[in-house]
């Protein structure tokens, strides 16, 4: 019997031990904080039993779950009690353990990433700092009422450090007033992270004095964790994107680099994927190509997704570098190169311009004669997108084996309540990081694209946007996440400067 921390929601924030146990479990008893997708991602085939947070019978929900666990363990099955975040933080662990102990069952606790840690990481800030916070206090905001046994927030105000408030949104009015009344400055920075690590993660910046009104106005979806203290300002102070809301549209699980860069500039990130990456229609062409890899001169990767597919299929075919002969690897840009290197493969060629034209030039040289005539290239790419590289290489007499290593499909619809929230709260920027995303975003967001500022990753993406009559406000100077955020931040800094100049008083 195992109590296992599921982390904040993203499958890749599970510990390795948790993932291994889940793969072998027979029964998983989980609460609502744990997304089903996480269990699917670790190939968990166990019976899944959801348990409610509250009990209608008036029975203690923790004790009731503990009795259920004891019964299941008594049947001799491998039981996992899976809890959001870390099992020992606000998880009624004590109550659930009691019936197990009474029945004489052994158990193990596997820790997980608790919400405060995941939230601080998402917002690009520390929870403690030598200069500003030498303590971290984790509290529940749910007890901020006048009951005698409740937490005394006025005393918490005296602790010079960071407060991480769980379950705090509903009672924000009470605890924030109590903290301010006890002397914590109303200007104390507050960061709120809602749905941390999930597709619809939102990170917002406010102050202690204003947070209750902000929660009321914005109604960020639960669960949300609130971090109060000087650390909440550490990464945001004077940042160009403070107060700006930026939408990330990249596929699920691929928005974190952009999110961290935006958060580091003080912006509020929202993540609504408009395309999804999946397996190709058939693995057969890639599997066959892998068996013949050593007969090629180059394997060319047009994206990190291609690298991931290649590495995984190599692994399943029980192949490694010994089977690759003298084949060399080319990557379209730094993220693809990083993916190769992380998997233990060196990258022999990366262009200075991170797009098909640049890759072509890097392979064939300025005069087009560096690649020996009749070279054999394997090109790993999505099932849609430009085919410039293949056409040009073939035109130069090379043999190109183009393989669909993954599929990219547009998301059909966006949850109307999420769209309504976007409309209500407003959005400053939408980031468009490929032509496929440009097309999907145009279809899903329609005329909203005319009122939001558009940040485009490359001239090719900008051309796709323009073809649909959407004009990008900024374009990254090179197609990387860092350059995209830099372009947004530069634009905002210019706007601020001209606003300041226009203000006759200052
Ligand atoms: N055991 C969990 C906490 C359970 S209490 C943990 O260690 O994280 C439930 C509270 O946790 C929520 O009200 C919210 O404050 C916080 N929380 C859990 N998951 C979260 C997430 N993905 N994003 C933001 N807050 C989260």
């Amino acid at each position: 019997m195992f109590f296992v921390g599921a982390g904040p929601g993203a499958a890749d924030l599970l510990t390795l031990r948790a993932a291994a146990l889940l793969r072998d479990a027979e029964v998983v008893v989980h609460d609502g904080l744990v997304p089903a997708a996480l269990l699917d991602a670790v190939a968990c085939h166990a019976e899944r039993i959801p348990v409610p947070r509250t009990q209608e019978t008036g029975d203690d929900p923790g004790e009731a779950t503990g009795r259920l666990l004891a019964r299941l363990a008594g049947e001799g099955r491998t039981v996992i009690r899976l809890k959001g975040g870390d099992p020992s933080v606000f998880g009624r662990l004590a109550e659930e353990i009691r019936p197990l102990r009474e029945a004489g069952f052994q158990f193990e606790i596997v820790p997980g990433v608790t919400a405060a840690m995941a939230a601080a990481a998402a917002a690009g800030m520390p929870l403690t700092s030598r200069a500003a916070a030498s303590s971290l206090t984790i509290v529940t905001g749910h007890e901020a009422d006048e009951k005698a046994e409740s937490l005394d927030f006025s005393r918490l105000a005296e602790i010079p450090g960071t407060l991480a408030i769980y379950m705090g949104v509903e009672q924000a009015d009470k605890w924030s007033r109590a903290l301010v009344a006890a002397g914590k400055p109303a200007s104390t920075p507050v960061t709120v992270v809602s749905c941390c690590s999930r597709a619809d993660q939102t990170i917002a910046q406010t102050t202690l004095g204003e947070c209750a009104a902000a929660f009321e106005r914005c109604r960020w979806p639960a669960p949300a964790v609130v971090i109060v203290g000087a650390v909440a300002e550490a990464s945001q102070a004077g940042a160009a994107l403070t107060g700006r809301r930026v939408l990330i549209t990249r596929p699920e699980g691929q928005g974190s680099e952009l999110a961290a860069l935006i958060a580091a500039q003080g912006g509020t990130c929202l993540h609504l994927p408009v395309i999804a990456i999946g397996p190709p229609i058939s693995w057969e062409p890639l599997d066959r190509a892998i068996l013949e890899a050593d007969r090629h001169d180059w394997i060319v990767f047009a994206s990190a997704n291609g690298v991931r597919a290649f590495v995984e299929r190599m692994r399943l075919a029980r192949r490694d570098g010994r089977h690759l002969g003298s084949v060399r690897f080319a990557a379209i840009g730094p993220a693809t190169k990083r993916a190769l290197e992380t998997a233990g493969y060196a990258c022999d060629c990366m262009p200075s311009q991170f797009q098909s034209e640049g890759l072509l030039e890097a392979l064939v040289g300025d005069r087009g004669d560096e690649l020996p005539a009749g070279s054999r290239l394997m090109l790993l790419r999505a099932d849609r997108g430009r085919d410039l590289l293949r056409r040009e290489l073939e035109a130069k007499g090379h043999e190109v084996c183009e393989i669909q290593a993954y599929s990219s499909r547009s998301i059909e619809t966006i949850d109307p309540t999420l769209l309504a929230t976007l409309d209500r709260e407003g959005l400053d920027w939408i980031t468009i990081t490929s032509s496929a995303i440009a097309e999907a975003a145009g279809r899903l967001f329609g005329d909203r694209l005319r009122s939001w500022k558009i940040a485009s990753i490359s001239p090719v993406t900008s051309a796709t946007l323009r073809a649909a009559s959407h004009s990008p406000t900024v374009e990254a100077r090179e197609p990387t996440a860092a350059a995209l955020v830099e372009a947004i931040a530069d634009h905002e800094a210019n706007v601020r400067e001209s606003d300041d100049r226009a203000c006759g008083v200052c």
Side-chain angles (χ1 to χ4, degrees):
M1 159 78 229
F2 303 88
F3 287 92
V4 174
D12 53 4
L13 286 175
L14 271 180
T15 63
L16 292 174
R17 175 141 183 78
L21 287 170
L22 283 166
R23 263 193 295 272
D24 292 340
E26 288 169 293
V27 194
V28 175
V29 178
H30 64 90
D31 47 43
L33 275 178
V34 179
L38 178 143
L39 293 168
D40 295 341
V42 291
C44 171
H45 304 296
E47 181 190 348
R48 301 176 188 181
I49 306 181
V51 288
R53 274 183 75 78
T54 49
Q55 202 72 9
E56 278 166 12
T57 55
D59 205 2
D60 178 276
E63 295 262 357
T65 306
R67 284 196 298 276
L68 170 69
L69 295 174
R71 181 170 61 72
L72 293 168
E75 291 167 7
R77 299 205 277 172
T78 319
V79 183
I80 290 190
R81 169 67 173 117
L82 188 64
K83 290 169 160 295
D86 182 88
S88 65
V89 179
F90 300 130
R92 297 181 199 262
L93 186 59
E95 293 89 331
E96 292 188 15
I97 282 174
R98 205 170 300 134
L100 281 170
R101 280 227 167 97
E102 282 167 9
F105 289 108
Q106 305 283 320
F107 57 85
E108 177 188 327
I109 300 176
V110 179
V113 177
T114 191
M117 275 92 194
M125 66 190 221
L127 282 170
T128 65
S129 98
R130 274 173 71 87
S134 45
S135 74
L136 166 66
T137 311
I138 293 181
V139 296
T140 164
H142 208 64
E143 292 186 4
D145 32 41
E146 284 77 34
K147 280 190 287 178
E149 71 276 18
S150 298
L151 264 174
D152 185 347
F153 272 81
S154 60
R155 296 192 60 192
L156 288 172
E158 291 163 17
I159 306 174
T162 307
L163 276 180
I165 306 180
Y166 288 50
M167 299 167 276
V169 170
E170 279 170 18
Q171 308 255 16
D173 188 41
K174 288 184 181 156
W175 56 253
S176 62
R177 268 194 285 120
L179 288 170
V180 173
K184 229 178 180 36
S187 59
T188 305
V190 167
T191 296
V192 53
V193 182
S194 141
C195 299
C196 183
S197 87
R198 304 187 190 170
D200 50 349
Q201 167 178 294
T202 308
I203 306 173
Q205 192 68 16
T206 170
T207 60
L208 189 54
E210 288 169 6
C211 65
F215 296 161
E216 181 60 34
R217 195 174 56 248
C218 299
R219 297 190 180 281
W220 290 298
V225 65
V226 187
I227 299 173
V228 181
V231 286
E233 193 183 43
S235 61
Q236 325 266 357
L241 297 185
T242 303
R244 297 290 180 267
R245 293 164 53 80
V246 186
L247 185 64
I248 296 172
T249 47
R250 301 210 61 205
E252 178 106 47
Q254 297 190 12
S256 56
E257 187 191 3
L258 204 48
L261 289 160
I262 293 163
Q265 294 276 3
T268 297
C269 294
L270 297 95
H271 189 181
L272 284 183
V274 299
I275 64 168
I277 300 299
I281 294 172
S282 157
W283 285 116
E284 213 236 311
L286 179 56
D287 289 345
R288 205 166 356 100
I290 280 175
L291 297 181
E292 296 172 357
D294 59 342
R295 289 173 42 204
H296 290 79
D297 301 300
W298 284 93
I299 301 181
V300 181
F301 294 94
S303 86
N305 291 315
V307 175
R308 282 188 276 272
F310 176 79
V311 170
E312 179 59 10
R313 300 310 289 185
M314 283 280 285
R315 194 181 64 75
L316 290 174
R318 301 182 59 78
R319 301 220 135 203
D320 56 33
R322 291 168 300 177
H323 301 89
L324 293 176
S326 56
V327 68
R328 282 180 288 169
F329 283 3
I332 196 160
T336 310
K337 178 171 186 254
R338 255 197 325 271
L340 270 175
E341 289 172 350
T342 307
Y345 296 102
C347 174
D348 304 289
C349 170
M350 185 187 82
S352 50
Q353 244 196 313
F354 312 138
Q355 56 190 31
S356 300
E357 288 82 352
L359 188 51
L360 179 68
E361 193 180 310
L363 283 167
V364 302
D366 288 351
R367 297 190 310 277
D369 58 1
E370 267 175 32
L371 206 56
S375 288
R376 295 170 59 110
L377 298 101
M378 188 198 299
L379 178 55
L380 299 197
R381 48 166 297 176
D383 55 350
R384 58 178 176 167
R386 303 168 78 207
D387 65 350
L388 175 129
L389 207 51
R390 179 185 55 77
R391 278 191 287 107
E392 292 290 321
L393 286 166
E394 280 178 354
K396 290 185 181 2
H398 303 296
E399 203 178 306
V400 182
C401 167
E402 196 175 49
I403 295 192
Q404 294 174 4
Y406 60 96
S407 66
S408 149
R409 64 173 178 79
S410 303
I411 301 278
E412 298 291 318
T413 50
I414 294 218
D415 179 351
T417 55
L418 287 178
L419 271 180
T421 312
L422 262 188
D423 290 340
R424 192 176 55 245
E425 294 164 22
L427 185 80
D428 298 290
W429 288 90
I430 178 167
T431 53
I432 305 282
T433 48
S434 72
S435 286
I437 287 181
E439 281 162 9
R443 199 171 38 74
L444 291 167
F445 299 122
D447 276 348
R448 293 177 177 87
L449 287 193
R450 302 194 196 288
S451 53
W452 299 337
K453 291 183 207 167
I454 303 177
S456 156
I457 192 100
S458 72
V460 176
T461 303
S462 298
T464 310
L465 282 163
R466 287 200 189 94
S469 318
H470 297 301
S471 39
T473 316
V474 296
E475 184 181 282
R477 71 182 156 72
E478 59 175 31
T480 59
L484 187 66
V485 176
E486 187 184 296
I488 299 175
D490 285 351
H491 180 92
E492 288 294 343
N494 287 337
V495 169
R496 285 219 168 96
E497 226 171 76
S498 53
D499 283 356
D500 288 350
R501 271 200 305 275
C503 167
V505 184
C506 40

